[in-house]
Amino acid sequence: MTVLESSPEVLPQTQSILSRLLRRPLAIFGLAVIAIVVIAAVFAPWIVPHDPHEQFFEGLSIEGAPLPPDSTFWFGTDLVGRDLFSRLIYGARTSLIIGVVANGIAVLIGSMVGITAGYFGGWVEAVLMRFTDLMMAFPALLLAIVLAAIFTPSLWIVALVIAMVNWVQIARVLYTETRALAERDFIQAERAMGAGALRIMLRHILPHLVSTIIVWATLGIATTVLLEATLSFLGIGVQPPTPSWGNIIFENQTYFSSAPWLVFIPGAAILLLTLAFNLVGDAMRDILDPTQQGHH
């Protein structure tokens, strides 16, 4: 048996994955929500009826309180008279940028650490995995709060902080899978033929891990969006006037009892987007995991 015959095709065709996703009602719902949010974020300047930073004198009642939803301000106004709908649409940009960028960096770091430790073993494994264990020992939210407090919060700093606390889980998973793959016959044959470590990791180990990476990348975006909203709500995430769903709640929490839409609407947006990514991630896991095939 040749080396190529020992390396089965592990990544299903994109068409097959999409067709399977579209047979799952919950996955379709998740994809639809994600598509709506992405379209709204990309085309925000053409969708929003008002400037998200503009304060309207008519956006407050005579007593100076926020206005409830009406035909002019579809989701009402916030405590300084800004249009909540416009801020929510622009806030989707912030959540998606941080979700994709932070999770992308976390997946990249976690993949490099996990695959390197699993392939080389020895002292490399000991150093990398003990560091991973050390990072896992700290509660992710507490560590993110400490890091966010050290650095001056901004969109990209928040993304970097979230990435620095979210890479450990995927590193652990890929380390375990790489350890098992490194002992397979076709990997040993490549080593015997004189192939370098980088070539083996990129051409023979990484393709077997793509399905796992895709699933973790999808599920990780939900976690990242939620963590960004939490940091922004605590006042150490994305700073005003840049709108994010978390800081919209933070800014308006004092009006929770008198103007509940200021908290419920952005809260529902966070919940819906997180749920959508989780539904798609769960479906992707079922489709790409060989042990699940034929069960649906």
Side-chain angles (χ1 to χ4, degrees), residues 3 6 38 40 44 53 61 69 99 107 115 126 140 198 217 223 252:
V3 174
S6 302
V38 169
H53 304 298
S61 66
V107 168
I115 294 172
L198 186 61
T223 305
N252 300 292

Side-chain angles (χ1 to χ4, degrees), residues 26-247:
L26 291 178
I28 292 174
F29 172 77
L31 287 171
V33 171
I34 293 169
I36 291 171
V37 174
V38 169
I39 291 170
V42 171
F43 296 101
W46 296 276
I47 293 175
V48 297
H50 307 286
D51 185 329
H53 304 298
E54 185 176 356
Q55 301 178 17
F56 295 93
F57 291 111
E58 67 274 21
L60 296 172
S61 66
I62 298 175
E63 295 80 14
L67 294 180
D70 58 27
S71 58
T72 304
F73 303 106
W74 299 346
F75 286 174
T77 60
D78 65 7
L79 73 167
V80 293
R82 295 172 298 192
D83 179 46
L84 182 62
F85 175 78
S86 301
R87 291 187 63 76
L88 203 69
I89 296 297
Y90 271 87
R93 281 185 161 187
T94 304
S95 295
L96 286 175
I97 289 173
I98 290 181
V100 173
V101 172
N103 196 56
I105 296 173
V107 168
L108 181 62
I109 295 173
S111 299
M112 291 172 60
V113 171
I115 294 172
T116 302
Y119 178 79
F120 286 104
W123 67 269
V124 176
E125 172 192 342
V127 171
L128 291 178
M129 296 320 294
R130 295 300 75 77
F131 177 67
T132 302
D133 292 340
L134 179 64
M135 293 293 291
M136 291 184 73
F138 291 97
L141 179 58
L142 182 60
L143 184 58
I145 290 172
V146 171
L147 292 173
I150 293 173
F151 301 103
T152 303
S154 68
L155 183 67
W156 303 111
I157 290 295
V158 171
L160 186 60
V161 165
I162 293 174
M164 289 169 66
V165 300
N166 270 1
W167 61 269
V168 291
Q169 290 83 6
I170 189 171
R172 262 289 170 194
V173 172
L174 294 182
Y175 159 74
T176 303
E177 294 193 15
T178 303
R179 278 286 302 272
L181 284 169
E183 302 301 322
R184 297 274 292 273
D185 290 341
F186 69 94
I187 297 295
Q188 298 299 328
E190 282 289 330
R191 284 173 173 162
M193 292 170 61
L198 186 61
R199 173 187 170 88
I200 293 174
M201 285 191 290
L202 292 180
R203 296 196 60 181
H204 298 283
I205 291 180
L206 184 60
H208 285 76
L209 302 175
V210 168
S211 59
T212 302
I213 292 172
I214 290 174
V215 171
W216 277 89
T218 307
L219 291 171
I221 293 177
T223 305
T224 304
V225 168
L226 200 56
L227 187 53
E228 180 277 323
T230 303
L231 291 175
S232 295
F233 173 73
L234 294 173
I236 53 176
V238 178
Q239 297 298 297
T242 302
S244 83
W245 292 344
N247 68 29

Side-chain angles (χ1 to χ4, degrees), residues 242-286:
T242 302
S244 83
W245 292 344
N247 68 29
I248 289 174
I249 297 176
F250 171 71
E251 290 175 340
N252 300 292
Q253 59 182 320
T254 53
Y255 281 84
F256 174 72
S257 56
S258 59
W261 63 87
L262 295 176
V263 174
F264 284 139
I265 293 177
I270 295 169
L271 175 64
L272 201 57
L273 185 61
T274 303
L275 176 63
F277 276 112
N278 277 326
L279 290 175
V280 174
D282 284 340
M284 293 287 286
R285 178 177 55 197
D286 292 344

